[in-house]
Amino acid sequence: MFFKQLATREASLSYFFGCAGHGVAVAVDVVAGDEDWFIEEAGKAGVEIRYVIDTHVHADHYSGGRALAQRVGAPYCLHESDQGVVRFPFEPLHDGQRLELGNVKIDVLHTPGHTPDSVCLLVTDARRGEAPWFVITGDTLFVGAVGRPDLAGQEAEMAGVLYDSLHTRLLTLPDELEIFPGHQAGSACGAGLSGKPSSTIGFERRWNEALALDRAAFIAQLTASIPPRPTGMDRIIAANIAA
């Protein structure tokens, strides 16, 4: 398995990984303007980009996912709940779905809360073992923080949904599992993000203060500490769902 993390604009983190032996790869959370980087990296690795995935419809940056998918002839993937929301065809992902990339297996976890369509990607490298190796957490779980719950409105309700996603989906995973989030310090998609671009479930369980709160306290804290909305958010979302 090969794995690359790309730090890009708006403190975003994008991912490119796959199975070199079978020549297949996936691009995750591509930022507009970075499409050439993914194509160049695919050429260096001698792989075909088989899927392009956005973990949710982004509100803080323009997505390059659909443009990259069109350029390489791959499906552009979003969670199935975006059907009727975005104004173009895409390949819908559903909870529990497995994507096969040679020895690399990707299990889709629907983890709403930051947005209704948020997904995390649980990744296994069969060459290393049967247990998952890492999870790409999008804007659901950051290093030292969690996603903001207000972008879709109904802040308290969405904060409760986020609590449930964290505690029933991510925190049930093994402590040693690595996490790779969608943003690091400087992002407007959460409060108190670390500048470290990765962590583990166990470390976050121990040191991420939001994860130690009960449901009521979690909702109260998140709704009391919402950062300013991303600059140009409405314009960015409109562009990311436009035909």
Side-chain angles (χ1 to χ4, degrees), residues 20-97:
H22 287 78
V24 287
V26 60
V28 179
D29 287 339
V30 178
V31 174
D34 291 335
E35 298 89 347
D36 286 346
W37 181 87
F38 286 88
I39 293 171
E40 291 166 3
E41 291 299 318
K44 292 176 187 176
V47 298
E48 170 193 351
I49 299 176
R50 186 66 57 83
Y51 299 101
V52 180
I53 300 173
D54 268 332
T55 56
H56 58 292
V57 172
H58 298 288
D60 68 315
H61 66 266
Y62 294 101
S63 171
R66 187 158 58 115
L68 175 62
Q70 290 172 343
R71 288 178 62 180
V72 301
Y76 174 59
C77 306
L78 291 166
H79 185 255
E80 60 187 350
S81 62
D82 283 318
Q83 293 173 314
V85 175
V86 302
R87 303 188 182 100
F88 52 82
F90 65 91
E91 182 164 314
L93 301 175
H94 60 267
D95 185 55
Q97 179 177 356

Side-chain angles (χ1 to χ4, degrees), residues 200-235:
T200 65
I201 291 290
F203 195 90
E204 294 308 303
R205 190 196 313 276
R206 175 65 180 85
W207 297 107
N208 189 323
E209 294 181 2
L211 302 182
L213 301 172
D214 63 29
R215 196 173 193 273
F218 180 91
I219 293 170
Q221 177 169 301
L222 255 65
T223 54
S225 59
I226 293 174
R229 289 195 162 200
T231 303
M233 186 187 87
D234 293 339
R235 182 177 66 254

Side-chain angles (χ1 to χ4, degrees), residues 4-210:
K4 294 181 180 291
Q5 182 187 61
L6 175 65
T8 185
R9 295 175 293 284
E10 293 83 29
S12 295
L13 296 169
S14 303
Y15 297 92
F16 183 56
F17 62 93
C19 178
H22 287 78
V24 287
V26 60
V28 179
D29 287 339
V30 178
V31 174
D34 291 335
E35 298 89 347
D36 286 346
W37 181 87
F38 286 88
I39 293 171
E40 291 166 3
E41 291 299 318
K44 292 176 187 176
V47 298
E48 170 193 351
I49 299 176
R50 186 66 57 83
Y51 299 101
V52 180
I53 300 173
D54 268 332
T55 56
H56 58 292
V57 172
H58 298 288
D60 68 315
H61 66 266
Y62 294 101
S63 171
R66 187 158 58 115
L68 175 62
Q70 290 172 343
R71 288 178 62 180
V72 301
Y76 174 59
C77 306
L78 291 166
H79 185 255
E80 60 187 350
S81 62
D82 283 318
Q83 293 173 314
V85 175
V86 302
R87 303 188 182 100
F88 52 82
F90 65 91
E91 182 164 314
L93 301 175
H94 60 267
D95 185 55
Q97 179 177 356
R98 169 164 282 197
L99 305 178
E100 304 271 357
L101 291 168
N103 291 309
V104 176
K105 321 296 180 184
I106 304 172
D107 292 311
V108 177
L109 305 178
H110 184 211
T111 53
H114 172 66
T115 59
D117 64 333
S118 290
V119 296
C120 295
L121 304 174
L122 184 64
V123 181
T124 301
D125 180 2
R127 292 289 298 274
R128 296 197 67 190
E130 297 179 357
W133 185 2
F134 63 87
V135 59
I136 292 179
T137 55
D139 290 12
T140 298
L141 176 62
F142 300 121
V143 179
V146 298
R148 62 189 295 166
D150 64 303
L151 297 181
Q154 301 177 308
E155 292 88 346
E157 178 181 344
M158 291 300 287
V161 172
L162 178 59
Y163 179 92
D164 294 339
S165 290
L166 289 165
H167 286 268
T168 64
R169 307 309 304 273
L170 295 182
L171 294 182
T172 62
L173 297 171
D175 279 352
E176 66 272 17
L177 196 77
E178 294 177 279
I179 71 164
F180 291 96
H183 293 285
Q184 55 187 335
S187 170
C189 289
L193 283 71
S194 171
K196 190 173 184 296
S198 66
S199 184
T200 65
I201 291 290
F203 195 90
E204 294 308 303
R205 190 196 313 276
R206 175 65 180 85
W207 297 107
N208 189 323
E209 294 181 2

